[in-house]
Amino acid sequence: MRSLLFVISLICFCSQTALSWKKEEFRSCDQTPFCKRARSRTPGACSLIVGDVSITDGDLVAKLLPKTPNQDDGDQIKPLVLSLSVYRDGIVRFRVDEDHSLNPPKKRFRVPDVVVSEFEEKKIWLQKVATETISGDTSPSSVVYVSDGYEAVVRHDPFEVYVREKSGDRRRVVSLNSHGLFDFEQLGKKTEGDNWEEKFRTHTDSRPFGPQSISFDVSFYDSSFVYGIPEHATSFALKPTKGPGVEESEPYRLFNLDVFEYDHESPFGLYGSIPFMVSHGKSGKTCGFFWLNAAEMQIDVLANGWDAESGISLPSGQSRIDTLWMSEAGIVDTFFFVGPEPKDVVKQYASVTGTSAMPQLFATGYHQCRWNYKDEEDVAQVDSKFDEHDIPYDVLWLDIEHTDGKRYFTWDSVLFPHPEEMQKKLAAKGRKMVTIVDPHIKRDDSYFLHKEATHMGHYVKDSSGKDFDGWCWPGSSSYIDMLSPEIREWWGGRFSYKNYAGSTPSLYIWNDMNEPSVFNGPEVTMPRDALHVGGVEHREVHNAYGYYFHMATSDGLVMRGEGKDRPFVLSRAIFPGTQRYGAIWTGDNTAEWEHLRVSIPMILTLGLTGITFSGADIGGFFGNPEPELLVRWYQVGAYYPFFRGHAHHDTKRREPWLFGERNTELMRDAIHTRYMLLPYFYTLFREANLTGVPVVRPLWMEFPQDEATFSNDEAFMVGDGLLVQGVYTKGTTHASVYLPGKESWFDLRNGKTYVGGKTHKMDAPEESIPAFQKAGTIIPRKDRFRRSSSQMDNNPYTLVVALNSSQEAAGELYIDDGKSFEFRRGAYIHRRFVFSNGVLTSTNLAPPQARLSSQCLIDRIILLGHSSGPKSAFVEPLNQKAEIEMGPLRMGGLVASSGTKVLTIRKPGVRVDQDWTVKIL
Ligand code: NOJ
């Protein structure tokens, strides 16, 4: 009976995948009591005031008390504890929780293992609180130092917290509860007659602790737009969800869910949740707000004038965007980032949640995936076709069908009888393999993993305390409790070569379905009253479940390699901190033009909120892309930080050589472009690893003052040097491209110059999408291809020097061994190239103790925008001349058929790891 039910449910699930998104399967805000309650509150509803302010352990600590204790329900409202801490570089942490000394029924969940340990080292120990009476207030406010430019104000009555500038007219930056929407539902003890259950469709949530939601308003000042809070398929600049002139929509939802065929324009929450919002405005200033909370969250962006009736007035000389944040559980643990530059905000956020892991070089190349490559022969054929068609690639992926009946860490013995040999054959060409390992474990008493997990008590429990049993790919399944560090460590051990039979050092991992997906669960996930270690309810930890799973797998790969091999783990679910553990992708998109278009705002948003290593399935997971769409997708995808083709098992095969010679050529060119730019990408990944600044960036991150860029999410920057404009419409042969700034831009393909600060109408032929190098930058490339990135290791470099109006340019190149952690001990090369006064100079950026050498030469130096026609160049310290030629621009094997002639210094003979100069004569 049970298996029959499962089969029926699986049929329903699979057939759903062929239809579009089933809205009714998921709760709307109206069907979510905490959201409905919070959304219906009116400004000024909060009656809490601040009292008992002190400095304790370097923090400002106070109580949040009811202004007029509620007579009827007096014992329900207990003082809350508030604390405000200050960290270097303009970060304020503001927390509110129940007072543990008053014995609440249980401790509310504080999300562990997200804030990096080094963050505490940045703490500024507050010594004193100043007081100031804000005009019109009856009681004083507390003011504390944040940095030389900023201070934080805790207003007592009405309760409000904000950061403001210290000088001038003390402009506000970001504030909380300025509209009095703060509400904190305290945990209660159930009494006779209380019915706290919540029902949705056929599911009942027992809610043993009753309502425990939190909501508050946050305002961003001097702001034109707000961005962030992934994961949604929607525009980059977030549209208002409520207010005058706006068609009221659902709030942006943050609740990790397995959504099939998601809509390309919706505030509905997808697989991951990052409650971090960034604002940006005309002044060029940026600020940010982050709420560390793993429960379901809903966020409204309120249209200007939404509060017209409220009587609340905020500084009128400052434009403002108001937002409403609502969460089902947890505590208030928030961070204010003062900016003021866009890159400052992402760095501030990264100092809290970490920067992205440095990927192995192979992971930045092209990945070929499909659900499923059928067997070893299929794998061998696909692999050899890449070579036959002269297309480099780095990784071949195996989806769930490679296992023995969806038992992870096993192989189907008929289809994949020789897994080690298969991996070794790929490895011989420098290629890797990735296999999928999901968090649901088949409940099969003869499956070693299930036996062990059951025996050791490693599963999440249902509300009655039994191992939770839900349906997923293998049928009846249980889910590893990833909240526990001990269980995570055990899980990590499953990846040792001994435990994972058939795995080799060139095998890496894909974590899917980790929202977690439960086919027969409420909203296709785990019931909120399921229990994790320490009695933590699933509702409290839900959005972080997949993060802990990703962490455990990634740490497992580090253990497997004895700390010598950088892990590669792709995850579908995300949470703040995910960037430390690997790459992510945007899930099950569709082979439609609009899905190609929305991939860019999605990737920009992820990058802005810490997760730079992301990409969308090239071609669209569901459906069959027409060749033109597939080609355009490769052309855009070649610039995604994570570059992978993937498809559902019902789709037709779509490897790049299956659509006729011309289309193969176009896709090959797109992939070649990526391989050519790998040195640049790798350098940018290192920048992200050091600072948190994303590889792919919105235009306004590089041009913060340029208003025309603020809502542009069709074009994007790769580093500070490349601007790429996707083509997202069928049959397009022309594009309008806005090129910001005062300097010129050079067409990547033919070197043609375009002036900045203008929208250009230009050809967008099928060969490529518009892409430009910014004048004033130097981009390192490798123009010769081999089968995979590692086989290109010894290939020479090309430097493309794009000169600005002062005939100057600068750029960087980072190189390490591409795989180990030795770079952390100084085994890397980091060069700075500067062109000035007719001389190109290479200098060392690495500290003196850094040690890595490379025999690689710089083979060509291409000068774009050089004003005179020199004949040769002089190279020092080699003390020799190098030839200069004028001709059409070359990109790898491609020679531009039109466009300007460019100047190339051929074979200067200089090494990439040394100091040298090349002087134009
Ligand atoms: C869902 C994932 O999103 C998709 O990429 C994968 O192919 C299937 N699960 C099967 O594992």
Side-chain angles (χ1 to χ4, degrees):
M1 182 60 193
R2 198 186 165 89
S3 53
L4 180 67
L5 274 174
F6 169 67
V7 170
I8 294 169
S9 129
L10 198 60
I11 291 171
C12 293
F13 177 79
C14 292
S15 57
Q16 265 164 346
T17 60
L19 303 167
S20 58
W21 179 49
K22 288 221 163 148
K23 201 173 170 186
E24 64 282 1
E25 298 253 327
F26 302 100
R27 298 209 299 189
S28 64
C29 175
D30 260 352
Q31 293 165 321
T32 309
F34 85 85
C35 187
K36 194 174 174 188
R37 282 198 299 279
R39 235 189 176 192
S40 63
R41 278 161 65 84
T42 47
C46 171
S47 62
L48 297 172
I49 57 168
V50 176
D52 296 352
V53 178
S54 67
I55 293 282
T56 308
D57 293 338
D59 297 333
L60 179 155
V61 176
K63 293 266 162 69
L64 258 183
L65 313 146
K67 188 166 185 171
T68 37
N70 184 332
Q71 300 304 320
D72 308 331
D73 207 6
D75 63 345
Q76 281 283 20
I77 303 173
K78 301 204 177 90
L80 297 165
V81 177
L82 159 170
S83 74
L84 186 141
S85 327
V86 175
Y87 295 82
R88 280 203 307 279
D89 304 326
I91 303 170
V92 173
R93 184 176 195 176
F94 174 71
R95 280 176 278 196
V96 181
D97 196 355
E98 301 200 22
D99 186 344
H100 294 164
S101 67
L102 301 176
N103 295 323
K106 82 171 203 147
K107 284 195 176 157
R108 300 173 72 113
F109 182 60
R110 298 177 171 202
V111 187
D113 304 314
V114 168
V115 177
V116 293
S117 50
E118 309 86 75
F119 181 61
E120 270 316 300
E121 291 161 19
K122 295 191 131 202
K123 178 164 156 164
I124 298 176
W125 283 65
L126 296 174
Q127 306 294 332
K128 61 176 191 314
V129 192
T131 52
E132 171 186 322
T133 304
I134 293 166
S135 98
D137 284 4
T138 46
S139 54
S141 294
S142 302
V143 181
V144 295
Y145 170 91
V146 173
S147 67
D148 287 348
Y150 300 90
E151 55 198 4
V153 179
V154 177
R155 196 173 172 194
H156 297 189
D157 180 12
F159 155 56
E160 185 188 8
V161 184
Y162 58 90
V163 177
R164 68 180 181 201
E165 290 176 3
K166 267 187 188 165
S167 58
D169 43 6
R170 304 206 286 194
R171 295 175 84 80
R172 284 180 175 221
V173 178
V174 56
S175 70
L176 186 147
N177 203 35
S178 301
H179 285 87
L181 288 171
F182 185 92
D183 190 29
F184 194 114
E185 294 177 328
Q186 299 184 352
L187 296 173
K189 286 208 178 75
K190 212 169 181 171
T191 52
E192 276 286 307
D194 281 337
N195 182 3
W196 286 341
E197 283 181 354
E198 268 178 23
K199 293 192 190 314
F200 179 65
R201 289 165 72 95
T202 54
H203 303 277
T204 302
D205 171 3
S206 60
R207 295 210 320 154
F209 298 96
Q212 47 180 301
S213 76
I214 299 172
S215 50
F216 48 77
D217 53 285
V218 175
S219 298
F220 299 86
Y221 298 81
D222 292 329
S223 299
S224 314
F225 292 102
V226 286
Y227 312 84
I229 56 167
E231 186 175 30
H232 306 98
T234 190
S235 55
F236 181 49
L238 296 170
K239 295 187 193 81
T241 49
K242 227 179 140 181
V246 169
E247 194 188 332
E248 184 160 324
S249 74
E250 287 289 305
Y252 292 97
R253 189 178 188 197
L254 291 181
F255 191 58
N256 295 7
L257 289 176
D258 179 1
V259 191
F260 354 89
E261 287 209 330
Y262 59 78
D263 199 352
H264 62 81
E265 174 56 79
S266 168
F268 188 78
L270 300 178
Y271 313 91
S273 302
I274 314 276
F276 171 39
M277 192 179 267
V278 174
S279 83
H280 187 70
K282 283 187 200 144
S283 57
K285 289 188 181 168
T286 310
C287 67
F289 175 80
F290 165 46
W291 185 3
L292 177 55
N293 183 306
E296 175 178 1
M297 209 181 278
Q298 302 262 6
I299 302 166
D300 267 318
V301 175
L302 302 161
N304 213 350
W306 72 281
D307 55 349
E309 318 275 279
S310 69
I312 290 171
S313 71
L314 287 162
S316 55
Q318 287 190 267
S319 60
R320 201 181 73 231
I321 296 184
D322 299 325
T323 55
L324 173 63
W325 297 62
M326 311 163 255
S327 170
E328 189 188 359
I331 64 161
V332 177
D333 188 359
T334 59
F335 298 79
F336 298 54
F337 304 114
V338 306
E341 293 285 323
K343 287 180 190 169
D344 294 333
V345 172
V346 295
K347 287 177 187 169
Q348 286 153 0
Y349 174 76
S351 68
V352 177
T353 62
T355 60
S356 50
M358 187 63 202
Q360 292 207 29
L361 178 64
F362 82 79
T364 68
Y366 176 62
H367 300 246
Q368 183 64 40
C369 186
R370 173 168 184 90
W371 179 13
N372 217 93
Y373 285 118
K374 292 196 302 278
D375 51 26
E376 288 177 3
E377 201 188 320
D378 198 7
V379 166
Q381 279 205 0
V382 170
D383 177 63
S384 67
K385 286 275 182 197
F386 272 96
D387 298 335
E388 202 177 296
H389 291 279
D390 193 21
I391 304 176
Y393 90 101
D394 267 80
V395 193
L396 205 127
W397 291 53
L398 294 181
D399 208 320
I400 48 177
E401 315 300 334
H402 81 277
T403 59
D404 169 17
K406 323 289 188 293
R407 292 169 186 85
Y408 304 108
F409 303 98
T410 69
W411 303 83
D412 183 309
S413 59
V414 176
L415 305 175
F416 294 93
H418 313 105
E420 296 187 19
E421 234 172 84
M422 171 175 65
Q423 291 157 55
K424 281 179 187 151
K425 279 188 197 150
L426 294 177
K429 299 178 188 172
R431 291 176 179 151
K432 318 287 178 194
M433 177 159 260
V434 164
T435 52
I436 196 164
V437 175
D438 293 351
H440 47 257
I441 307 300
K442 187 173 173 69
R443 294 185 59 79
D444 165 2
D445 291 339
S446 61
Y447 178 26
F448 60 90
L449 195 61
H450 174 61
K451 277 200 281 193
E452 197 174 329
T454 310
H455 175 71
M456 297 178 81
H458 284 349
Y459 285 136
V460 178
K461 308 287 180 275
D462 65 19
S463 58
S464 74
K466 293 208 293 282
D467 284 349
F468 171 72
D469 178 349
W471 287 338
C472 209
W473 299 126
S476 167
S477 306
S478 285
Y479 293 69
I480 306 291
D481 190 354
M482 293 295 164
L483 181 59
S484 151
E486 291 75 37
I487 299 177
R488 287 205 295 269
E489 196 175 339
W490 166 81
W491 176 258
R494 303 313 89 207
F495 293 91
S496 70
Y497 300 118
K498 185 170 134 272
N499 287 331
Y500 189 172
S503 66
T504 70
S506 63
L507 185 78
Y508 295 88
I509 302 298
W510 174 14
N511 282 168
D512 185 20
M513 314 297 275
N514 51 338
E515 295 71 30
S517 175
V518 181
F519 295 161
N520 60 341
E523 302 193 86
V524 201
T525 192
M526 193 173 270
R528 290 162 199 248
D529 54 6
L531 291 168
H532 294 261
V533 284
V536 175
E537 282 193 283
H538 185 68
R539 88 184 69 250
E540 301 173 281
V541 72
H542 174 83
N543 283 345
Y545 178 83
Y547 162 70
Y548 293 120
F549 180 53
H550 193 194
M551 174 191 290
T553 306
S554 176
D555 288 347
L557 290 193
V558 176
M559 282 198 289
R560 175 190 84 167
E562 294 170 348
K564 296 194 185 101
D565 191 49
R566 288 179 231 165
F568 174 79
V569 184
L570 181 79
S571 170
R572 192 169 70 173
I574 56 172
F575 194 66
T578 290
Q579 65 269 22
R580 308 202 299 267
Y581 298 103
I584 76 115
W585 91 110
T586 60
D588 299 348
N589 58 358
T590 303
E592 287 170 3
W593 288 92
E594 287 307 311
H595 273 267
L596 168 60
R597 183 191 302 272
V598 81
S599 69
I600 294 306
M602 290 178 83
I603 287 165
L604 287 174
T605 302
L606 287 160
L608 187 65
T609 56
I611 304 185
T612 200
F613 200 8
S614 75
D617 284 349
I618 309 276
F621 177 69
F622 292 116
N624 296 303
E626 53 188 316
E628 185 188 348
L629 173 59
L630 188 59
V631 165
R632 288 302 195 195
W633 215 316
Y634 270 99
Q635 290 171 347
V636 174
Y639 296 98
Y640 290 164
F642 175 60
F643 182 27
R644 183 185 76 153
H646 181 41
H648 188 275
H649 61 64
D650 282 347
T651 61
K652 296 187 193 130
R653 292 292 282 247
R654 56 163 89 140
E655 287 74 32
W657 46 86
L658 293 174
F659 301 86
E661 195 43 50
R662 177 63 180 151
N663 288 314
T664 306
E665 194 182 335
L666 295 172
M667 288 184 256
R668 177 195 301 124
D669 282 358
I671 297 173
H672 278 183
T673 302
R674 170 57 166 246
Y675 276 80
M676 208 163 53
L677 289 169
L678 281 183
Y680 183 55
F681 269 92
Y682 200 65
T683 302
L684 292 172
F685 272 106
R686 175 59 169 164
E687 183 185 356
N689 170 248
L690 286 170
T691 67
V693 174
V695 171
V696 164
R697 318 167 178 172
L699 269 46
W700 58 259
M701 192 171 273
E702 293 299 330
F703 300 90
Q705 309 283 346
D706 188 340
E707 271 188 75
T709 64
F710 291 1
S711 58
N712 183 344
D713 56 11
E714 294 207 336
F716 54 92
M717 297 291 299
V718 179
D720 70 349
L722 277 188
L723 183 148
V724 180
Q725 166 79 46
V727 171
Y728 311 106
T729 321
K730 182 178 167 59
T732 304
T733 49
H734 291 89
S736 281
V737 188
Y738 178 69
L739 295 172
K742 295 192 178 67
E743 293 291 347
S744 300
W745 296 81
F746 298 93
D747 191 315
L748 214 60
R749 272 298 169 106
N750 54 30
K752 224 173 132 184
T753 318
Y754 293 86
V755 295
K758 212 178 135 196
T759 300
H760 297 269
K761 293 227 169 349
M762 60 185 70
D763 290 344
E766 63 173 3
E767 282 81 8
S768 63
I769 54 172
F772 308 86
Q773 186 173 343
K774 190 175 77 182
T777 61
I778 298 178
I779 289 186
R781 299 196 316 215
K782 278 196 175 180
D783 284 11
R784 291 188 211 154
F785 311 110
R786 301 200 192 276
R787 289 170 167 174
S788 60
S789 62
S790 62
Q791 294 206 338
M792 289 163 63
D793 266 354
N794 299 323
N795 284 12
Y797 289 83
T798 295
L799 294 181
V800 186
V801 181
L803 297 171
N804 65 13
S805 48
S806 323
Q807 295 283 287
E808 287 176 344
E812 291 180 18
L813 171 63
Y814 172 83
I815 306 168
D816 60 24
D817 68 8
K819 43 184 189 266
S820 79
F821 288 100
E822 285 303 307
F823 70 101
R824 291 187 178 160
R825 285 177 279 276
Y828 64 87
I829 295 166
H830 195 176
R831 308 299 303 180
R832 180 163 172 80
F833 306 113
V834 174
F835 188 94
S836 178
N837 297 321
V839 183
L840 178 64
T841 310
S842 169
T843 50
N844 183 26
L845 274 186
Q849 69 274 19
R851 37 166 191 94
L852 185 74
S853 59
S854 165
Q855 303 286 329
C856 278
L857 296 180
I858 310 252
D859 195 31
R860 285 195 296 170
I861 299 168
I862 298 174
L863 287 173
L864 300 172
H866 196 267
S867 48
S868 63
K871 296 280 172 301
S872 63
F874 191 71
V875 185
E876 277 182 310
L878 293 178
N879 208 10
Q880 65 188 32
K881 276 194 171 178
E883 220 180 286
I884 287 193
E885 82 185 9
M886 278 301 267
L889 184 65
R890 281 168 186 276
M891 260 183 84
L894 300 169
V895 183
S897 53
S898 62
T900 14
K901 287 199 165 161
V902 300
L903 201 146
T904 303
I905 303 170
R906 296 191 58 235
K907 303 209 178 302
V910 287
R911 258 171 64 166
V912 74
D913 61 348
Q914 291 178 351
D915 289 352
W916 45 258
T917 59
V918 176
K919 187 173 183 188
I920 310 289
L921 298 175

